[in-house]
Amino acid sequence: QKEVEQNSGPLSVPEGAIASLNCTYSDRGSQSFFWYRQYSGKSPELIMSIYSNGDKEDGRFTAQLNKASQYVSLLIRDSQPSDSATYLCAVNGAGANSKLTFGKGITLSVRP
Amino acid sequence: DAGVIQSPRHEVTEMGQEVTLRCKPISGHNSLFWYRQTMMRGLELLIYFNNNVPIDDSGMPEDRFSAKMPNASFSTLKIQPSEPRDSAVYFCASSLARGNQPQHFGDGTRLSIL
């Protein structure tokens, strides 16, 4: 059973702080990793993808991947109240017919 | 560009009725996924198709659920007969059928079975 764990949460940070969201996965053969943001009552929206070890930055968002530790994280710098949402980690295994496995999500609240 | 289109957005029906949810994937995407989301269980994959062929339906909860993809631009998820425990938000997503491609979600159907 391939698992994606997002155990910490809910998370509350003050406006302007760095929010750090963590995710671990069980399938060592996993090839691609995604972060989705889901506002209440809305659908998941892709915000970051990462495929190789290291950091990937996009604006205020940084995704970090460590395949040896089977760990992927999302950092949100200068957090804004509009970042308040549930963040879903998703992991894709190897192979042509691989599918995404989602974590249960972490709810982030940014306090003004 | 149009995203994934789902209909209806909301459905309220009585237990025992047939429910049909519809999805139009993004043009050019050849993988399509049906998910169910509840507070208790999170986002669960029900079934997915590559090039209109069902690849994995192990997430379909029971025989009351069925899904079809008659062509590249349309898929249905049917529940017959429906039960109150089927109440959830059902999402359709699509992607290119190359291993590392992300999925893009529709707005979902909020289903309530009374």
Side-chain angles (χ1 to χ4, degrees):
Chain A
Q1 180 83 8
K2 299 175 183 177
E3 294 182 350
V4 176
E5 299 286 342
Q6 295 181 260
N7 289 328
S8 59
L11 180 65
S12 179
V13 301
E15 184 174 355
I18 296 175
S20 177
L21 312 175
N22 303 318
C23 174
T24 59
Y25 60 94
S26 62
D27 182 8
R28 189 169 287 278
S30 297
Q31 296 291 312
S32 49
F33 308 84
F34 307 96
W35 283 97
Y36 286 80
R37 178 178 62 200
Q38 187 174 23
Y39 292 115
S40 180
K42 301 295 187 182
S43 61
E45 171 195 11
L46 178 72
I47 55 171
M48 287 289 286
S49 57
I50 187 166
Y51 303 102
S52 54
N53 279 330
D55 295 359
K56 179 181 177 183
E57 186 174 318
D58 183 0
R60 295 185 297 110
F61 297 98
T62 299
Q64 298 175 318
L65 175 61
N66 184 325
K67 288 187 178 180
S69 299
Q70 294 174 240
Y71 176 95
V72 58
S73 65
L74 179 70
L75 300 178
I76 306 174
R77 289 183 302 281
D78 188 24
S79 296
Q80 301 297 309
S82 59
D83 296 326
S84 299
T86 296
Y87 289 80
L88 300 166
C89 173
V91 176
N92 204 352
N97 291 327
S98 60
K99 58 188 180 184
L100 277 184
T101 301
F102 282 84
K104 289 250 171 37
I106 301 173
T107 298
L108 171 67
S109 175
V110 181
R111 308 186 301 271
Chain B
D1 289 341
V4 176
I5 299 172
Q6 291 186 247
S7 64
R9 291 295 308 277
H10 303 274
E11 174 90 11
V12 180
T13 192
E14 292 188 346
M15 181 175 65
Q17 297 298 306
E18 178 178 293
V19 173
T20 300
L21 311 181
R22 298 172 176 80
C23 176
K24 176 179 169 57
I26 292 172
S27 178
H29 282 188
N30 43 8
S31 289
L32 183 140
F33 307 80
W34 283 102
Y35 290 90
R36 177 172 68 177
Q37 188 175 41
T38 61
M39 288 292 292
M40 289 296 294
R41 300 173 68 91
L43 196 61
E44 302 174 277
L45 177 66
L46 301 178
I47 185 171
Y48 78 98
F49 298 83
N50 277 355
N51 297 312
N52 313 338
V53 176
I55 301 300
D56 184 347
D57 65 355
S58 60
M60 296 286 261
E62 49 197 272
D63 291 346
R64 297 184 298 105
F65 285 69
S66 62
K68 294 181 180 179
M69 192 164 186
N71 58 62
S73 58
F74 183 67
S75 177
T76 59
L77 178 67
K78 188 172 292 187
I79 308 172
Q80 167 64 20
S82 58
E83 297 183 3
R85 61 194 167 115
D86 302 330
S87 298
V89 181
Y90 290 80
F91 289 108
C92 176
S94 72
S95 74
L96 292 168
R98 292 195 299 271
N100 289 342
Q101 298 304 304
Q103 295 174 21
H104 300 271
F105 284 75
D107 289 337
T109 296
R110 185 171 296 275
L111 177 64
S112 296
I113 307 297
L114 305 178

